[in-house]
Amino acid sequence: MSSKTDVQVSPQADADMRRLGRGARNAVLDFVRRVREDRTNRSLLLRPLRRVGSNGTLYTAVVDEQLMALLLETEGTHFAVLAIRYGPQVYEVLKGIQVEVNQVSGGIELIDPTQVTANVVILAEHSSKASDEASQVPEDAPARSGAVTLSSLASIEGQVPLRLPVPLFAKHDDETLIRLGLIASLLPSVRRLTNEDQLLALVEQNIPQLSKEVLLYLYDGKDPEQVREQVTRLWEAPEAVDPADWARAARRPVSQVSTEDPAVLAALGEGFEAWRLFLHPEQQRLATTDFKGSAKVTGGPGTGKTVVALHRVRHLVSKLPPGHTKPVLLTTFNPNLAADLKQRLDSLGGRELLARVDIKSVDQLAREVVVQDPHARIGRPIDDNAVRDHWFAVRIEAGEDEFDPEFLDAEWKHVILAQGLGNLRAYLRADRDGRGGQLQRPQRIRIWNLVEALTERLVRVGQVTWAQLASQAADIEHHRMARVEEQAHYKDEHGGVDLIHREASSGMWLKPRYRHIVVDEAQDLSASHWRMLRAMVAPLANDIFLVGDAHQRIYAHRVVLGRYGILTKGRSSRRLTLNYRTSRQILGSARGLIEGEQFDDLDEGRDSLDGYRSVLSGLGPQYYRSPDWVSEQRTIAELLRDRFEQHGTPWEAMAVSVPDRDSVTQLATTLSRSGIPATEIGPDGPKGREGVRIGTMFRFKGLEFQRVFLAGVAAGLFPDQRVEQYRHVDPKRYQSELQRARSLLFVAATRARDELIISWNGRPSSFLPPDAVARAITRSPGDLADGPSSSSAA
């Protein structure tokens, strides 16, 4: 007789599946299905290994002809897939895996001694042997009881002391490491580590995430108290951990990457990355915590902010009463990012979740609001290039030569429209804090006249800017919210009775547009956007949840959220610091691009990348110089072909950023002549499904690739030579433009997972570190080395 069994997949088993490939993942998921349906199925070949704790039993099972699994059974009806292995001695390997309950997180964790021995211990022994050969112990050294110390050897007259390598974590005893969260089974290997190469070899193995973080934080110079605050505290189980209670350990979220949720299981089967399903404990808390009002999550690239936003949406929807409306808004700045959010939310929760969520870019939302209003003036939206052309025309007609189009457009967007200034008197009194350059009364009058001339010109040609739409939408929503509040106040005065005749006459639809709003890439929204969003939701618990990073601000939308009634100070503001995408080597170089700059926290405070780190390791960035743009393009083509032919990287997994649209066309032509398929990254994402992705750095926002090429990183382009004109006449604007250019490079560089290549022709950008420039490889097309390891310059 068959019996239904609860089966989950652990984070480390999921990592095994991803390492072994799609075929293994499909086999394991079929295996999970068979265990769920009938654990007595003889084809599973369940074989007990040993009892663990007071209520657990370890089993091995056959997945398919090549794969076996290590399982934990608890409560008689609950199985956890802990590990997947293959090979001639697979049973012995699974039998030797060490499994335990972490004393900090309470999660089930494991260590595979065969992996550690093969990749770490041998490396440590090689280092020790080399040290021994370099300095031998004298034959006449006196016999000692216990260990030979460095001081005793140094005291031998006339002999050179033996230079034994000092273990990396010698100053931390076992108890300290375990209390910080290190799994006890790792201690013997950790004690043999003496250099960074050995440490990185260890953390690259499929060892528990908490152990990785503890070791890397300590290695990076944090003391145990700092590690306890920045790492351990986040992983602590909410209740006391009983190491013998394996049933409770198996039920904890840190032990699971999947659940009985069919949508989650389907996502896992389609290769939805584990870190998008299994949340870091801090991410999990942020996604599910109830806040008294608004909340803000900041963090560097790759820290999972978007993942937190998606899980936050799912949590908010789970708390809704039954219905068919969409009271939750998920929005972001870019339309193609909004499309990506919709796809990912579908993978996370399916149609049932999507049915309760409104997903669109903030500009699409603003246009909808304006179109729905019968009194609004509607025109055809135009992009920034078209707006700049109109500013040129208006300046010429007015004979204006003091203010350039970029300044006028920014003043209009970030002062006049941002503050909803409807007349000259309001503009003359307006605060321009952070805008740089003092404007006298006559100058403000001239600017206002130019703005009026521009708006009249747009009306004549039937056009409207996106900034105008956002401002109109904000005004419309504020008026709507005022009527909602007025109606609520009227009902309170009359004892809370529903006055049908009044509500019908004023519109029974009068209520806040949304119950909850979740914002991704918050740093790119303008003040008008925030005015609109604030008016779309009542200021109640869990009203606005936003994620962003000022270090990635590539538009000039500097906003202080508190000024728009979005209060996120204290415990309502959190930071994420662990990068899940980029290697430590690439991340370190990318941080150097913005070194020395000061960034805000999307409010009145300061933000930094202190504690921002990765647990991944890989190649360091590589730098190439060329005499001209034609040569640089040919070098890029050869490097791309090398990665495709020699390293098997798919064309679609590689991307090249270029300075401008013309360069996109030129490089695409060069690649095509070289037989390399390529497709442009447009406003809605890549235009084609196949080929190397090419686009400006602005198009790289929100994307990620296995290998990234930053081309044309040259003087005069980064920063743009036009920025130099502001150095003395408007120092604040000069610094702002420099910071934006640095952020643009930072964003593009952190799109890389495995490899980052930076190239230029002529003189390099001043943003690049001098030591990297000095080591750059000068290549003439045709003399490319065989692979990245031979051409690495860092």
Side-chain angles (χ1 to χ4, degrees):
M1 180 177 178
S2 64
S3 58
K4 288 288 185 180
T5 304
D6 176 23
V7 184
Q8 70 187 51
V9 178
S10 74
Q12 287 176 273
D14 181 73
D16 289 339
M17 285 191 285
R18 289 184 288 118
R19 174 175 53 85
L20 294 171
R22 181 177 291 274
R25 181 174 61 249
N26 291 338
V28 172
L29 291 168
D30 179 66
F31 166 77
V32 168
R33 177 187 58 78
R34 288 186 287 131
V35 176
R36 278 198 173 102
E37 292 178 351
D38 182 9
R39 59 164 293 173
T40 65
N41 186 334
R42 291 186 178 183
S43 68
L44 300 173
L45 293 180
L46 280 172
R47 182 176 181 180
L49 275 179
R50 60 183 179 272
R51 293 279 299 174
V52 288
S54 60
N55 50 19
T57 303
L58 292 177
Y59 284 82
T60 61
V62 172
V63 176
D64 64 9
E65 295 177 352
Q66 296 180 315
L67 300 171
M68 289 189 71
L70 178 67
L71 303 174
L72 169 69
E73 181 197 40
T74 57
E75 304 171 303
T77 59
H78 184 86
F79 270 108
V81 182
L82 301 182
I84 309 295
R85 294 292 186 272
Y86 77 101
Q89 302 295 323
V90 62
Y91 175 75
E92 294 300 323
V93 170
L94 290 176
K95 184 178 178 181
I97 288 178
Q98 300 167 350
V99 187
E100 64 184 84
V101 175
N102 189 290
Q103 296 185 24
V104 169
S105 69
I108 295 174
E109 299 179 339
L110 59 90
I111 294 297
D112 184 346
T114 60
Q115 291 183 346
V116 173
T117 300
N119 296 284
V120 180
V121 175
I122 290 177
L123 182 59
E125 290 175 347
H126 176 75
S127 300
S128 177
K129 181 179 179 181
S131 177
D132 289 344
E133 291 174 351
S135 181
Q136 298 293 332
V137 178
E139 293 182 2
D140 58 346
R144 304 270 180 170
S145 60
V148 178
T149 65
L150 289 175
S151 59
S152 66
L153 288 172
S155 67
I156 302 174
E157 185 176 358
Q159 300 292 341
V160 177
L162 175 63
R163 296 184 178 179
L164 294 175
V166 178
L168 291 181
F169 303 100
K171 64 180 180 181
H172 307 298
D173 59 35
D174 291 355
E175 184 179 359
T176 297
L177 294 177
I178 291 175
R179 284 182 176 177
L180 290 177
L182 187 76
I183 186 172
S185 302
L186 264 182
L187 283 171
S189 300
V190 169
R191 292 305 179 197
R192 306 184 73 164
L193 302 176
T194 59
N195 59 52
E196 183 180 42
D197 289 341
Q198 296 167 4
L199 172 61
L200 294 181
L202 177 63
V203 299
E204 285 173 5
Q205 304 309 309
N206 189 14
I207 67 173
Q209 180 73 21
L210 175 53
S211 293
K212 289 183 182 182
E213 292 184 41
V214 168
L215 292 175
L216 289 172
Y217 271 60
L218 288 172
Y219 178 73
D220 287 339
K222 302 291 184 181
D223 62 43
E225 283 304 316
Q226 291 174 309
V227 177
R228 185 171 288 107
E229 177 62 26
Q230 298 177 22
V231 177
T232 309
R233 180 184 61 82
L234 306 179
W235 285 84
E236 288 177 344
E239 72 287 323
V241 174
D242 179 0
D245 188 353
W246 286 64
R248 179 68 186 92
R251 292 291 187 182
R252 289 191 173 97
V254 294
S255 298
Q256 305 178 38
V257 74
S258 67
T259 68
E260 289 296 305
D261 186 335
V264 177
L265 293 171
L268 182 64
E270 291 300 318
F272 199 61
E273 292 90 329
W275 62 269
R276 295 183 177 180
L277 295 171
F278 166 68
L279 297 186
H280 187 285
E282 178 68 355
Q283 295 173 325
Q284 180 72 37
R285 292 178 189 180
L286 292 174
T288 58
T289 294
D290 281 331
F291 296 95
K292 294 181 179 180
S294 300
K296 174 184 66 181
V297 177
T298 60
T303 53
K305 297 183 299 297
T306 299
V307 177
V308 171
L310 292 170
H311 281 264
R312 181 68 178 176
V313 168
R314 186 170 71 164
H315 171 72
L316 293 172
V317 169
S318 71
K319 300 296 184 181
L320 293 175
H324 301 285
T325 59
K326 293 187 175 184
V328 179
L329 170 68
L330 174 60
T331 188
T332 188
F333 181 74
N334 195 305
N336 67 301
L337 291 184
D340 179 65
L341 289 175
K342 184 174 184 178
Q343 181 180 7
R344 292 168 67 174
L345 196 63
D346 185 21
S347 297
L348 188 61
R351 293 184 178 181
E352 185 177 351
L353 176 58
L354 289 180
R356 304 304 308 274
V357 185
D358 202 10
I359 309 171
K360 51 177 62 79
S361 75
V362 71
D363 280 334
Q364 291 172 326
L365 178 64
R367 190 168 189 272
E368 283 188 14
V369 170
V370 174
V371 169
Q372 292 170 4
D373 189 276
H375 307 294
R377 186 173 58 200
I378 304 171
R380 179 172 59 83
I382 56 176
D383 61 22
D384 288 343
N385 291 328
V387 177
R388 191 158 41 247
D389 291 340
H390 282 305
W391 275 118
F392 270 111
V394 167
R395 288 174 68 250
I396 292 173
E397 292 173 0
E400 177 61 56
D401 57 6
E402 179 180 357
F403 306 113
D404 60 69
E406 287 78 12
F407 172 83
L408 290 170
D409 195 53
E411 187 75 5
W412 185 36
K413 287 180 181 176
H414 305 309
V415 178
I416 296 174
L417 292 178
Q419 299 181 40
L421 306 178
N423 53 60
L424 174 60
R425 179 179 299 178
Y427 178 52
L428 291 175
R429 298 196 305 264
D431 180 15
R432 298 182 65 258
D433 184 38
R435 291 293 305 150
Q438 294 294 323
L439 290 179
Q440 302 301 320
R441 180 184 176 88
Q443 291 174 305
R444 293 202 186 200
I445 293 174
R446 284 160 50 207
I447 291 172
W448 182 264
N449 291 336
L450 290 169
V451 168
E452 286 192 327
L454 177 74
T455 54
E456 291 171 2
R457 180 184 179 89
L458 291 172
V459 170
R460 287 199 306 271
V461 297
Q463 296 177 344
V464 66
T465 71
W466 288 108
Q468 281 180 296
L469 286 173
S471 183
Q472 288 184 56
D475 292 340
I476 292 169
E477 288 300 306
H478 269 282
H479 178 65
R480 173 192 178 116
M481 183 60 78
R483 294 179 64 193
V484 170
E485 294 173 350
E486 178 190 2
Q487 186 163 283
H489 180 66
Y490 184 90
K491 290 172 65 174
D492 287 342
E493 287 184 338
H494 291 76
V497 178
D498 289 332
L499 303 177
I500 301 299
H501 66 282
R502 176 181 172 87
E503 294 184 1
S505 64
S506 61
M508 292 183 67
W509 53 266
L510 270 182
K511 60 181 180 181
R513 189 175 289 263
Y514 298 106
R515 182 177 297 187
H516 308 290
I517 294 177
V518 178
V519 184
D520 189 29
E521 302 289 356
Q523 74 281 349
D524 289 330
L525 272 61
S526 70
S528 296
H529 293 142
W530 289 115
R531 286 200 298 123
M532 175 185 71
L533 294 177
R534 177 66 279 179
M536 285 182 165
V537 60
L540 300 172
N542 304 315
D543 53 359
I544 298 178
F545 184 91
L546 61 101
V547 300
D549 177 23
H551 300 88
Q552 300 182 67
R553 184 184 288 124
I554 59 177
Y555 304 99
H557 295 161
R558 168 70 173 93
V559 173
V560 178
L561 292 172
R563 297 179 182 176
Y564 302 96
I566 303 171
L567 307 178
T568 60
K569 294 183 179 180
R571 294 187 60 81
S572 295
S573 179
R574 311 287 180 86
R575 287 179 69 235
L576 297 174
T577 58
L578 187 61
N579 182 293
Y580 295 83
R581 177 176 63 221
T582 308
S583 72
R584 289 166 63 85
Q585 292 83 352
I586 293 175
L587 198 61
S589 297
R591 288 185 62 174
L593 296 172
I594 55 174
E595 202 73 43
E597 295 284 350
Q598 288 190 335
F599 293 87
D600 60 86
D601 64 350
L602 309 183
D603 216 315
E604 295 180 304
R606 294 290 183 188
D607 193 15
S608 73
L609 293 178
D610 290 346
Y612 180 46
R613 56 189 19 88
S614 170
V615 296
L616 307 176
S617 183
L619 289 173
Q622 301 161 61
Y623 302 87
Y624 289 82
R625 63 158 57 93
S626 300
D628 52 57
W629 174 229
V630 172
S631 298
E632 185 179 356
Q633 292 180 78
R634 291 174 179 170
T635 297
I636 290 171
E638 293 192 34
L639 290 169
L640 287 167
R641 184 174 297 283
D642 171 77
R643 272 51 178 177
F644 176 75
E645 295 179 350
Q646 302 300 321
H647 303 278
T649 307
W651 298 122
E652 296 75 27
M654 297 185 282
V656 186
S657 81
V658 292
D660 50 48
R661 288 291 305 278
D662 290 340
S663 300
V664 172
T665 303
Q666 294 162 7
L667 181 59
T669 301
T670 298
L671 296 184
S672 177
R673 290 173 179 172
S674 301
I676 298 175
T679 184
E680 180 183 352
I681 304 174
D684 298 321
K687 294 183 177 180
R689 299 184 63 181
E690 299 180 354
V692 175
R693 277 50 173 144
I694 309 174
T696 63
M697 289 186 181
F698 285 94
R699 299 298 191 205
F700 273 47
K701 189 65 180 248
L703 304 176
E704 62 179 65
F705 305 94
Q706 189 174 341
R707 304 183 192 273
V708 168
F709 294 71
L710 306 186
V713 186
L717 295 175
F718 291 97
D720 191 291
Q721 59 186 357
R722 292 176 300 178
V723 173
E724 195 62 30
Q725 64 182 304
Y726 309 124
R727 180 190 289 268
H728 301 296
V729 298
D730 194 344
K732 282 191 175 181
R733 182 176 179 184
Y734 176 71
Q735 291 300 325
S736 175
E737 294 291 341
L738 286 183
Q739 186 179 89
R740 194 153 65 103
R742 287 184 182 274
S743 291
L744 192 58
L745 268 178
F746 177 69
V747 168
T750 52
R751 303 304 98 187
R753 294 202 308 258
D754 300 337
E755 185 177 32
L756 174 65
I757 295 175
I758 299 176
S759 64
W760 65 87
N761 63 84
R763 292 186 300 111
S765 166
S766 59
F767 293 162
L768 298 178
D771 61 331
V773 172
R775 299 194 307 270
I777 298 171
T778 302
R779 290 245 177 243
S780 298
D783 64 356
L784 184 66
D786 289 336
S789 60
S790 61
S791 61
S792 177

